[in-house]
């Protein structure tokens, strides 16, 4: 069966970005000029996904508005002949988007469970909004390609420094079936750094078989007293094979302030409108900062 559906959990409270996220969805925070969630939707579409469910919560209405037509704005841009901007605005409306609200934020596993009726009895992908991926073949597409041969759930992972393993779901790999595709003994959510079974971390792209829902329905709360997707995947792996695909492209973590800033800079350095000015600015800033750095080391 072909994978056609994606689920994007977007119900988190965004506490790492307070006060900006007090009344605004963190998924709408822009990298240069594009809300982070639009990058995720674009990855889904370029992978061949046809239907997307966004699991939302409080203060998330702007996400729905963002992907809806804005007739007033379109008319205004048209009358002023701003065709480039018009194109940017219209681009966002050509997607089959569905929304469901997660009334109680009980964890990522619980958010994914809200997609049960939408997904039905099909394999599907889960895409987390905190991770932006850059690679020749989109990561979601890579997982879909794997599924065509394995017909099994496959979780994207990436090497991270050992001391950062406690921030992620970590796999305990058990040999590779082909280059970069691992058998997995077990999955652990946010282990202590010295107890992590490897440094291969789950990075926010999952291809799952629909049996995950049955597991999620019976999943007890885990780390942080939340229903964890990683725990459910670990249980699924006991009844059917779950693979891990190692991602070798570039990952941008926009889930915290530092990652958000560095991603903004890197994307800015590629943005046709500002890249030259930004580059000059960074070079000047570096020269300004360098004497201070030298003083420090004296
Ligand atoms: C979630 C998952 C974790 C995964 C991470 C990737 O954690 O629970 O397994 O490694 O996303 O970004 P969160 O970052 O929401 O705490």
């Amino acid at each position: 069966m072909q994978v056609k559906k994606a689920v994007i959990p977007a119900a988190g409270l965004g506490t790492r970005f307070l006060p900006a996220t007090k009344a605004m969805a963190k998924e709408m925070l822009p990298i240069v000029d594009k809300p982070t969630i639009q990058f995720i939707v674009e990855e889904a579409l370029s992978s061949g996904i046809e239907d997307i469910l966004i699991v939302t919560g409080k203060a998330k209405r702007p996400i729905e508005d963002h992907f809806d037509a804005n007739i007033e704005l379109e008319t205004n841009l048209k009358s002023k002949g701003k065709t480039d901007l018009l194109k940017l605005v219209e681009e966002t409306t050509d997607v089959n988007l569905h929304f469901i609200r997660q009334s109680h934020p009980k964890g990522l596993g619980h958010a994914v469970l809200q997609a049960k009726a939408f997904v039905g009895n099909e394999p599907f992908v889960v895409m987390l909004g905190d991770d932006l991926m850059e690679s020749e073949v989109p990561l979601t597409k890579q997982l879909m390609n794997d599924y065509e041969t394995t017909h099994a759930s496959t979780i994207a992972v990436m090497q991270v420094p050992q001391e950062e393993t406690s921030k992620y779901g970590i796999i305990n790999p058990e040999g590779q079936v082909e280059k970069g595709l691992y058998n997995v003994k077990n999955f652990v959510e946010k282990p202590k750094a010295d107890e992590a079974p490897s440094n291969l971390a789950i990075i926010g792209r999952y291809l799952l078989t629909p049996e995950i829902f049955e597991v999620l329905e019976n999943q007890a709360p885990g780390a942080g007293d939340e229903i964890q997707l990683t725990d459910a995947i670990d249980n699924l792996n006991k009844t059917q094979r779950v693979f891990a695909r190692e991602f070798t492209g570039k990952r941008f973590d926009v889930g915290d302030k530092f990652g958000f800033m560095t991603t903004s800079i890197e994307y800015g350095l590629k943005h046709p409108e500002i890249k030259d000015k930004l580059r000059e600015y960074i070079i000047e800033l570096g020269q300004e900062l360098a004497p201070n750095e030298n003083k420090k080391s004296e």
Side-chain angles (χ1 to χ4, degrees):
M1 198 183 263
Q2 250 190 322
V3 182
K4 295 192 217 114
K5 293 177 180 169
V7 176
I8 305 178
L13 297 176
T15 47
R16 287 175 198 153
F17 290 97
L18 280 171
T21 46
K22 189 180 166 203
M24 182 170 75
K26 78 165 174 184
E27 295 78 8
M28 290 303 294
L29 295 175
I31 300 294
V32 189
D33 52 9
K34 198 186 277 190
T36 54
I37 195 162
Q38 194 177 330
F39 288 98
I40 309 292
V41 167
E42 286 175 0
E43 181 187 328
L45 296 180
S46 62
S47 299
I49 291 293
E50 292 172 11
D51 278 282
I52 301 172
L53 177 75
I54 301 186
V55 184
T56 66
K58 268 209 177 74
K60 306 293 177 154
R61 187 62 59 75
I63 301 178
E64 294 185 39
D65 290 341
H66 179 70
F67 291 103
D68 193 2
N70 183 338
I71 307 296
E72 205 181 320
L73 178 63
E74 286 168 31
T75 313
N76 183 293
L77 293 174
K78 227 175 262 170
S79 71
K80 290 183 177 147
K82 296 188 173 170
T83 42
D84 287 357
L85 290 179
L86 184 64
K87 201 168 150 262
L88 286 180
V89 166
E90 284 177 341
E91 252 170 24
T92 53
T93 61
D94 199 15
V95 197
N96 281 334
L97 276 189
H98 312 257
F99 295 90
I100 192 164
R101 281 180 72 131
Q102 180 192 20
S103 45
H104 301 286
K106 291 191 203 160
L108 179 59
H110 183 255
V112 172
L113 183 55
Q114 309 310 306
K116 187 180 175 204
F118 166 79
V119 168
N121 201 25
E122 298 176 27
F124 67 107
V125 292
V126 173
M127 307 174 74
L128 304 190
D130 285 348
D131 301 282
L132 305 188
M133 309 297 184
E134 212 175 70
S135 53
E136 207 174 307
V137 177
L139 179 53
T140 296
K141 178 71 182 154
Q142 292 181 28
L143 299 180
M144 289 161 70
N145 289 344
D146 284 332
Y147 181 80
E148 274 181 27
T149 48
T150 62
H151 300 288
S153 296
T154 307
I155 315 303
V157 296
M158 192 171 194
Q159 310 247 9
V160 298
Q162 191 69 27
E163 65 274 15
E164 284 180 21
T165 46
S166 60
K167 286 190 351 198
Y168 297 95
I170 301 292
I171 66 161
N172 186 2
E174 201 177 32
Q176 300 184 33
V177 278
E178 62 171 66
K179 194 168 181 289
L181 191 65
Y182 293 86
N183 277 312
V184 184
K185 209 169 183 181
N186 58 305
F187 296 80
V188 198
E189 179 67 9
K190 307 204 169 93
K192 287 189 188 128
D194 55 356
E195 286 169 16
S198 77
N199 67 343
L200 286 168
I202 299 174
I203 50 162
R205 298 292 183 275
Y206 311 74
L207 193 151
L208 296 167
T209 55
E211 287 77 25
I212 192 71
F213 293 116
E214 225 182 287
V215 184
L216 280 170
E217 274 166 341
N218 299 302
Q219 189 60 53
D225 204 28
E226 293 189 341
I227 298 175
Q228 295 292 350
L229 182 59
T230 305
D231 295 346
I233 291 168
D234 188 51
N235 281 325
L236 183 69
N237 193 32
K238 290 172 186 156
T239 57
Q240 53 177 251
R241 290 218 291 181
V242 178
F243 295 102
R245 161 62 66 188
E246 186 173 353
F247 180 56
T248 54
K250 192 159 178 182
R251 166 176 172 260
F252 297 90
D253 179 359
V254 296
D256 66 24
K257 291 190 242 302
F258 183 73
F260 191 86
M261 285 304 300
T262 50
T263 306
S264 299
I265 293 169
E266 292 207 35
Y267 278 51
L269 287 169
K270 284 184 264 183
H271 193 290
E273 234 174 277
I274 60 164
K275 62 179 185 190
D276 296 337
K277 268 173 96 173
L278 183 62
R279 191 171 175 277
E280 261 172 51
Y281 170 76
I282 290 172
I283 291 172
E284 273 171 31
L285 189 64
Q287 283 160 355
E288 230 179 83
L289 291 175
N292 295 342
E293 290 297 306
N294 289 344
K295 260 184 219 152
K296 246 189 246 164
S297 58
E298 268 167 21

